[in-house]
Amino acid sequence: MSRSPSQAPDESAETLPRQQRTYSIGELARMFEVTPRTIRFYEQEGLLAPSRQGQKRIYREKDRVRLKLTLRGKRLGFSLAEIREVVMMYDAMPDGNARQLKRLIEILDEKRANLDRQMEDIRLMRLEIDDVDQRARDVLRQLGKED
Amino acid sequence: MSRSPSQAPDESAETLPRQQRTYSIGELARMFEVTPRTIRFYEQEGLLAPSRQGQKRIYREKDRVRLKLTLRGKRLGFSLAEIREVVMMYDAMPDGNARQLKRLIEILDEKRANLDRQMEDIRLMRLEIDDVDQRARDVLRQLGKED
DNA sequence: GACGAGGTTTACGTTAACGTAAAGTGCTTG
DNA sequence: CAAGCACTTTACGTTAACGTAAACCTCGTC
């Protein structure tokens, strides 16, 4: 065993700063508790674009962040298409023309409105859950007394 | 035209209190902006159980509330199966045994934890969106100056 | 040099949540 | 009574988001 550059969480795991670290597909998969298949699928859908080292995919910090954002979006019920829409426009920003930028701002506004609605939904849902919970505990307490 | 009991938003629309009103499938569909097909599908999945008047489905206040909760759950990304799980246990509550009730309380706890995570996700997502938005506006402003 | 752990491509399978089309019922309105 | 709605059932179609299987490569290791 003499300094294996491959295998293991990447030799740079501790020595290099985050920005220069790289990840294998398996590593990322474990970090986010998804399968490699999922990550490849996201690439196919244009959400990730890792570089290659021979045949193998090499993921950098940027890719990791993207994956994180993608999964967060998923947890909020967004479709991959929606997520891609924003992500791609974000990337196109630097050299974007005015029309594109305005469109992006519009989309962001919609997303924000959407998030606000979700926020409210969560609030209401919590109230219901708390209510059901309270009732359940009440009934349970009654059952205890009857013995 | 002599007092038609069928057709029209239900004769009780204004005269009866909410608790006694009934709805046709079309009415509900319009109220929540879904198709009748969706409502029938939810019934098939055990989320709704309207009574019948001959062949036609009759929805009462209880059904309307259930549909509302179901759609709210959907907006939050829950599957119909998850939603049904809670809804059915809720209905089974009154005569539920201790074990079932404890299980229900457990599930509710999970749901709550889930909602909390979503809340945090939304917060983070908003921050990102605000950030992207700010950048977009900056770039846009720069473009304006260059003319 | 066999092998096991990771990685790769290709391609077909699966599940949830409806959409869509066809064919029929029941009422009321011109 | 024909037309037109609103409703019904049955059944096949569709899309998103992966799962799963097969067949292959490429290391470092025993």
Side-chain angles (χ1 to χ4, degrees), chain B residues 61-114:
Chain B
E61 184 57 18
K62 180 184 171 184
D63 301 305
R64 198 187 61 87
V65 171
R66 272 216 187 171
L67 180 54
K68 189 179 65 181
L69 294 180
T70 299
L71 293 174
R72 182 179 297 155
K74 283 237 61 189
R75 283 200 299 273
L76 293 179
F78 294 135
S79 72
L80 294 184
E82 290 176 298
I83 295 171
R84 180 179 45 201
E85 189 180 28
V86 173
V87 166
M88 288 186 62
M89 297 201 74
Y90 176 82
D91 278 18
M93 249 188 52
D95 56 327
N97 56 40
R99 201 175 51 73
Q100 268 207 339
L101 287 172
K102 287 182 181 176
R103 177 81 189 106
L104 173 56
I105 292 179
E106 265 181 46
I107 292 184
L108 292 178
D109 246 31
E110 289 172 29
K111 298 291 177 198
R112 229 180 327 234
N114 225 304

Side-chain angles (χ1 to χ4, degrees), chain B residues 19-32:
Chain B
Q19 284 306 325
Q20 299 177 41
R21 263 211 67 184
T22 72
Y23 308 84
S24 74
I25 196 170
E27 271 179 279
L28 275 190
R30 278 189 302 273
M31 294 181 64
F32 292 104

